[in-house]
Amino acid sequence: MNKIIAVHLHNDRHGNTMVFRQSLETLTEKGLDVHLITNRTGDTPGFLSGIPGVQYHYINYLERGNKWRIFFSFLLAQMVIFRKVWGLLEPEAKVYINTLLPFGAAWAGRLKKAPITYHIHETAIDFPKLRSFLLNTARRTATQVVFGSRYLQAKFSFPKAEKHIVHSCLPQSFVQEAVLHANHGSRKTVLMIAPLEKESGLPELLELANQMSSTKFELVIDASQKEIDAYFSNYFIPDNLMVYGTQLNLHPFYQRAAVVLNLSNTEHYQDTFDFNILQAMSYGRPVIVPLAGGANELVAHGWNGYRISGNYIDKVRKHVEQLLSNKPLYADMSCAAQLVAFQFKPEFFKQQVEDLFADGTYFTPRKKEQLAEVLLYPAALQEYINNARN
């Protein structure tokens, strides 16, 4: 039985963690022996918790205190990861690393000459020198690299590794729930889901909510209520904005939402393939995303949403008001959003992940007609309908 040593530093509820879970579920379903090294969680379980067939090996890593304290805690975690990977490695075993962060796993695999697969969704790291070190480590140690978007693949060079693009997909259970309840709820709120960071567009959302005082806003942040209260202690939160901490179930939020936003700073988050935006589109919600980065691979401006920098609050407000007031426009964009979202099918994602770790097989690239961008323009809509009827 092939052995996979999977490593992810944060067992949280971010999109890249959900995608990694889907990968591990695919590998266990194929009968591979999967060992997962990840961080313990608190009261709220992360997406990597409770995966059937996976053997867990925990580390204790806390991001508390100032940046230097977090940095040294991070280095200590890498030492523990190195030791765990070293002990688990045996002939024919492979190392599967999610994001650039667990570099200790990469060096352990390199020293034991094990095949190393990196799954890269984003490269936003606060310390520029650390980011450079992590990228160089990945370039020196990776046997193959999996990118979550075409934008990300084009941005970075990995001359020694095989390079593949595997777009994220939604779990079948989520898609079924979205189809059943897409038209439920009042659909009067504007929703944003973001991490607890300034660069994720939190100040911009506060300003937008202030300008649109008659519109209801909801903000879901992947953090505890204590952390949220501390962050917003110096901000004024308008009465029309409700702020929520980490949620186990986002379906009620998408059901209430009319429009879903991503106002993140493109310099910091431009390489992210936004999982929450894909979820919103599966509900038929028009979206607003930044001009640059992986998220705009999902959106054609003016067809299924808008691509606007979060810095241009007046433009964002104008388009949100337009979507809320123009019912024919909203209906067209809603249909287009669903058509694009449904192209990211679980079965194709699973086939690509299986190919990554199967011996003696070739990776299955997406055919041109299977790529989501063919549906990003109205000219492709009739062709899609015709194919669906056949």
Side-chain angles (χ1 to χ4, degrees):
M1 179 184 293
N2 291 332
K3 185 176 184 179
I4 305 296
I5 303 170
V7 187
H8 183 50
L9 187 59
H10 299 286
N11 183 11
D12 51 28
R13 300 192 70 81
H14 288 176
N16 69 73
T17 310
M18 167 61 85
V19 174
F20 197 51
R21 179 191 178 99
Q22 292 173 267
S23 296
L24 300 186
E25 288 176 336
T26 298
L27 298 176
T28 56
E29 289 171 4
K30 289 295 292 182
L32 277 68
D33 181 20
V34 178
H35 293 252
L36 173 60
I37 300 171
T38 190
N39 196 23
R40 294 185 184 275
T41 57
D43 297 332
T44 304
F47 282 130
L48 295 179
S49 302
I51 305 175
V54 169
Q55 300 183 51
Y56 286 85
H57 307 267
Y58 291 108
I59 62 173
N60 292 310
Y61 170 59
L62 297 176
E63 290 188 343
R64 292 179 182 174
N66 58 39
K67 289 187 175 182
W68 287 109
R69 184 175 178 181
I70 294 173
F71 176 69
F72 286 113
S73 178
F74 172 74
L75 293 181
L76 180 60
Q78 300 306 316
M79 295 173 63
V80 176
I81 290 172
F82 179 96
R83 181 174 57 83
K84 288 183 178 292
V85 172
W86 186 272
L88 288 169
L89 276 171
E90 56 189 38
E92 308 301 324
K94 300 176 181 179
V95 180
Y96 183 21
I97 301 173
N98 197 49
T99 76
L100 293 171
L101 293 175
F103 72 88
W107 286 113
R110 172 68 179 272
L111 291 175
K112 283 209 169 183
K113 299 182 180 179
I116 298 171
T117 298
Y118 265 90
H119 201 148
I120 301 178
H121 314 264
E122 58 188 38
T123 59
I125 297 169
D126 290 336
F127 293 90
K129 291 183 178 180
L130 176 61
R131 179 178 180 272
S132 177
F133 169 77
L134 295 176
L135 277 170
N136 287 332
T137 296
R139 290 188 177 109
R140 294 183 62 180
T141 61
T143 307
Q144 60 181 349
V145 181
V146 183
F147 296 99
S149 66
R150 293 183 305 282
Y151 175 89
L152 199 56
Q153 185 195 40
K155 188 177 178 182
F156 298 103
S157 172
F158 285 82
K160 298 181 180 180
E162 295 181 16
K163 294 169 283 293
H164 307 293
I165 300 171
V166 179
H167 282 106
S168 304
C169 76
L170 298 173
Q172 192 61 43
S173 59
F174 189 97
V175 175
Q176 291 172 349
E177 184 81 6
V179 171
L180 288 174
H181 299 98
N183 295 319
H184 291 188
S186 60
R187 285 189 288 172
K188 293 181 179 179
T189 65
V190 177
L191 172 66
M192 189 168 91
I193 302 171
L196 189 60
E197 297 179 18
K198 180 180 179 181
E199 292 82 1
S200 64
L202 300 183
E204 287 78 7
L205 184 69
L206 291 175
E207 182 179 346
L208 182 64
N210 270 314
Q211 291 186 16
M212 302 179 65
S213 57
S214 61
T215 302
K216 294 181 180 179
F217 286 78
E218 290 188 334
L219 171 63
V220 178
I221 300 176
D222 186 18
S224 67
Q225 192 60 50
K226 183 179 180 180
E227 292 171 324
I228 293 172
D229 292 341
Y231 179 88
F232 285 106
S233 61
N234 295 323
Y235 288 94
F236 169 75
I237 300 179
D239 294 336
N240 60 323
L241 172 61
M242 294 296 295
V243 181
Y244 301 86
T246 302
Q247 299 292 309
L248 296 178
N249 181 12
L250 288 172
H251 287 286
F253 293 90
Y254 291 124
Q255 291 168 19
R256 291 193 295 266
V259 183
V260 179
L261 308 178
N262 176 346
L263 302 180
S264 59
N265 185 311
T266 55
E267 292 183 1
H268 193 76
Y269 282 109
Q270 64 180 1
D271 45 20
T272 305
F273 184 89
D274 197 311
F275 200 72
N276 297 126
I277 291 297
L278 186 58
Q279 289 180 326
M281 289 168 56
S282 72
Y283 264 92
R285 305 308 185 235
V287 297
I288 295 178
V289 301
L291 286 167
N296 69 31
E297 293 180 19
L298 297 168
V299 181
H301 187 80
W303 191 53
N304 63 336
Y306 296 103
R307 298 195 304 211
I308 310 169
S309 171
N311 297 325
Y312 296 98
I313 295 299
D314 288 339
K315 288 186 178 181
V316 174
R317 177 180 54 80
K318 172 186 173 183
H319 288 297
V320 171
E321 290 175 342
Q322 185 181 34
L323 286 168
L324 294 177
S325 61
N326 190 329
K327 291 184 178 180
L329 173 67
Y330 186 92
D332 289 344
M333 283 197 172
S334 176
C335 178
Q338 281 188 313
L339 289 176
V340 174
F342 291 160
Q343 299 312 295
F344 294 86
K345 299 177 180 179
E347 57 267 26
F348 200 81
F349 175 87
K350 289 182 177 181
Q351 180 61 60
Q352 290 186 303
V353 172
E354 290 174 10
D355 289 352
L356 290 171
F357 296 94
D359 295 324
T361 63
Y362 292 98
F363 181 78
T364 306
R366 299 194 84 161
K367 297 178 182 178
K368 185 176 180 180
E369 62 270 18
Q370 293 173 311
L371 289 172
E373 69 264 26
V374 302
L375 294 178
L376 288 180
Y377 301 95
L381 183 55
Q382 188 60 49
E383 180 182 353
Y384 172 82
I385 294 174
N386 293 337
N387 291 336
R389 289 173 177 170
N390 295 331

